[in-house]
Amino acid sequence: MTETATTDHVHFIDGQWQPSQDGAFVPAVSPANRKELGRVAQGDRVDARTAVAAARRGHEALAKMSRWDLARACNRVADEIEKRRDILATTLAQEQGKPLMGEAYGEVDAAALGYREAGELFKWMAGEVIPVETPGKRAISYRAPRGVYGVITPWNFPVNIPVEYLAPCLAAGNAVVWVPAPSTSLCAARLMECIVEADLPAGAVNLVHGPGPVVGDEVVGHAGVDGIGFTGSPATGAAIAARGAGKPMLLELGGNGPVIVLDDADPVRAAEAAAAGSFFNAGQVCAATGRVLCARGVQEPFAEALLAAAQKVKIGDPMDPDTTMGPLNNPAVADKVEAHVADGLERGGVLLAGGHRMPDLGSDLFFAPTVIGDVPPGADLNAAETFGPVAPIVVLDSDDELIAAANAARHGLAASVFTRDLARAFRFGEAIQAGLVNINSPSSYWELHLPFGGAPGKDSGIGRLGGKHTLQAVTEIKTITFDIS
Ligand code: NAD
């Protein structure tokens, strides 16, 4: 199946596809050519409340299923994702804008794997028989689902990021009300079709489209929602933390990942990793290489290799098999990228490549792969999250300055360090305030089971996603004691 989505897409609530209670729809638009791809139901607070009520019943049904049943359900979703690989990848390319061959299929495959791994891992997550002091007493503990999860997701990986929550929630027996980002609603609808085919109890997974500040806000604050899984910006994360205060939350927020190139590093290897980190998904990655912190002395060969890598990027129609970078997803992100580039150049940065939109490619959301040298540390390109295809280079003099610059940012999600010296690798790995530090790999290197999340005291979130860590986060320890005297 590779047909384009041209039809109306509605909510999935209580085991039924259904329109909004007021019948509202909004268009879904391609970022590559601004053409309408279909229409999506626009939900409101009433739709959100209906979904929460359904999810409460869904949780009761899930709670009766064994871990083996739940793992089989996860495998059925994975089977459907694999069966619908073409339509999922095509929708991702058309609506999100990522290249079909180079990225979209990979995201779909990761989603299928995410379901399989979550089901399998929770099956084997054993509890404890806890020794107790009192004769005639026994105690056991095990991980139990929390109940109903509100899951709110962004548009940059609109298939795989939802699965990072939906799969562990299903594996552990939590029902879900899922509110996806509006600019990738069709991707959400296509993933939901796979879940629907897996024949889960009514209300187990509910999808409600609509504006985050309305539908998402209602879900987060609703007394019938027991836990929150959110991936998005620090500003929205702060609003959600306040609205859902007291509820267990996984908050996966923004990043501004530095790639740190030490003076003993191989500059070509570091540049290729920086290019991968800055240009993959047009830089719209929380663990992207948002900036390069380069030791003085190595900046020239590094910049030369980075420019060569930028020139190899083939920007264009995401559906073209030769394309390696598509458009940005939406006008807000394009405006921010443009503003950060202008700020960096005004403050004395030197434009080495790109720096502009490419409207001739079909829409003004195409932004050229950009490299900017001599960026001053105070520029937005270094201090804030750009979320676009820009590699800003900041040159510094000593290891201490490099560590201080890395840690000066508000964010602390992912970083990478290039060095041939094991002792320096450890020093930087331990000193950099980021949840993930990759030595001699791109800042964005990650596998589904590795713990991922923000460093303490930073604006990159709370808690850890990945494998058993998400399963622990969406469950709580239940203790039962027995008197057998
Ligand atoms: P965003 O915060 O604007 O939106 C995220 C989601 O929240 C969307 O579905 C949106 O509709 C919803 N939302 C908005 N306001 C809301 C409210 N008041 N209440 C409830 N929901 C609300 O973020 P975005 O622009 O979609 O995504 C980009 C951001 O996500 C970047 O900062 C990026 O770094 C971050 N991100 C983080 C990770 C991670 O794992 N840490 C992964 C991907 C993206």
Side-chain angles (χ1 to χ4, degrees), residues 152-156 161 179-182 211-213 216-217 220 230-234 236 239-240 252-255 286 385 387 413 452 460 465:
I152 299 171
T153 51
W155 44 262
N156 58 340
I161 286 177
V179 185
D217 180 80
V220 172
F230 170 73
T231 297
S233 63
T236 308
I240 285 177
E252 296 293 331
L253 310 181
C286 55
E385 182 184 42
F387 225 54
L413 193 61
F452 186 85
S460 290
L465 273 183

Side-chain angles (χ1 to χ4, degrees), residues 11-18 50-52 54-59 61-62 70 73-74 77 115 147-149 151 162-163 165-171 173-180 188 191-208:
H11 315 294
F12 189 80
I13 299 174
D14 205 12
Q16 303 289 331
W17 293 106
Q18 47 186 279
T50 309
V52 174
R56 296 250 46 109
R57 296 188 292 276
H59 172 59
L62 289 174
L70 293 166
C74 287
V77 179
Y115 266 100
V148 171
Y149 254 77
V151 172
V163 169
Y165 299 101
L166 298 178
C169 278
L170 177 60
N174 290 296
V176 167
V177 179
W178 172 29
V179 185
L191 176 60
M192 193 68 219
E193 286 167 2
C194 303
I195 298 169
V196 169
E197 287 302 311
D199 195 23
L200 306 178
V205 184
N206 304 272
L207 166 68
V208 189

Side-chain angles (χ1 to χ4, degrees), residues 32-401:
N33 54 30
R34 310 308 285 152
K35 288 194 183 136
E36 188 171 316
L37 295 167
R39 294 196 318 156
V40 185
Q42 167 100 319
D44 63 13
R45 289 183 189 274
V46 177
D47 299 303
R49 287 198 282 268
T50 309
V52 174
R56 296 250 46 109
R57 296 188 292 276
H59 172 59
E60 277 173 36
L62 289 174
K64 294 188 185 119
M65 292 169 68
S66 75
R67 292 189 184 195
W68 265 249
D69 290 338
L70 293 166
R72 278 190 280 270
C74 287
N75 277 327
R76 289 199 298 277
V77 179
D79 292 344
E80 290 299 328
I81 292 173
E82 285 162 1
K83 247 191 250 171
R84 291 154 188 261
R85 196 171 172 259
D86 289 337
I87 187 71
L88 279 160
T90 303
T91 309
L92 263 171
Q94 289 175 333
E95 191 194 33
Q96 199 284 334
K98 62 186 63 191
L100 178 70
M101 298 312 288
E103 299 186 21
Y105 276 106
E107 180 170 345
V108 175
D109 294 343
L113 184 62
Y115 266 100
R116 293 199 196 287
E117 288 189 352
E120 199 59 24
L121 274 173
F122 197 61
K123 254 167 57 181
W124 305 111
M125 206 174 263
E128 281 185 286
V129 177
I130 309 171
V132 286
E133 184 179 6
T134 315
K137 302 276 190 194
R138 301 288 185 272
I140 63 165
S141 74
Y142 60 94
R143 301 210 75 97
R146 293 184 190 276
V148 171
Y149 254 77
V151 172
I152 299 171
T153 51
W155 44 262
N156 58 340
F157 292 91
V159 171
N160 195 41
I161 286 177
V163 169
E164 287 168 9
Y165 299 101
L166 298 178
C169 278
L170 177 60
N174 290 296
V176 167
V177 179
W178 172 29
V179 185
S183 69
T184 46
S185 300
L186 300 189
C187 295
R190 293 301 187 196
L191 176 60
M192 193 68 219
E193 286 167 2
C194 303
I195 298 169
V196 169
E197 287 302 311
D199 195 23
L200 306 178
V205 184
N206 304 272
L207 166 68
V208 189
H209 298 286
V214 179
V215 179
D217 180 80
E218 182 65 28
V219 170
V220 172
H222 198 296
V225 172
D226 305 297
I228 307 296
F230 170 73
T231 297
S233 63
T236 308
I240 285 177
R243 180 82 165 109
K247 296 185 183 188
M249 286 191 195
L250 265 171
L251 297 177
E252 296 293 331
L253 310 181
N256 181 18
V259 162
I260 302 170
V261 188
L262 302 190
D263 50 15
D264 66 350
D266 172 348
V268 175
R269 185 172 169 186
E272 282 166 1
S278 292
F279 305 137
F280 187 83
N281 202 16
Q284 302 161 113
V285 182
C286 55
T289 299
R291 57 208 173 114
V292 178
L293 305 176
C294 203
R296 193 172 302 282
V298 80
Q299 79 269 24
E300 278 178 22
F302 173 82
E304 196 179 311
L306 182 56
L307 278 174
Q311 275 153 11
K312 283 193 204 140
V313 174
K314 186 151 183 333
I315 181 167
D317 177 0
M319 296 298 289
D320 182 334
D322 293 334
T323 294
T324 61
M325 194 175 93
L328 294 164
N329 176 258
N330 58 68
V333 72
D335 290 348
K336 184 175 170 195
V337 173
E338 199 169 52
H340 279 201
V341 168
D343 172 77
L345 297 179
E346 266 164 34
R347 289 173 188 252
V350 178
L351 186 63
L352 302 175
H356 55 85
R357 299 190 196 225
M358 303 177 78
D360 293 351
L361 293 177
S363 93
D364 67 354
L365 296 179
F366 285 96
F367 202 95
T370 298
V371 180
I372 302 181
D374 291 331
V375 171
D380 287 344
L381 286 171
N382 178 53
E385 182 184 42
T386 299
F387 225 54
V390 186
I393 305 171
V394 180
V395 181
L396 295 156
D397 285 307
S398 67
D399 285 9
D400 286 346
E401 276 182 30

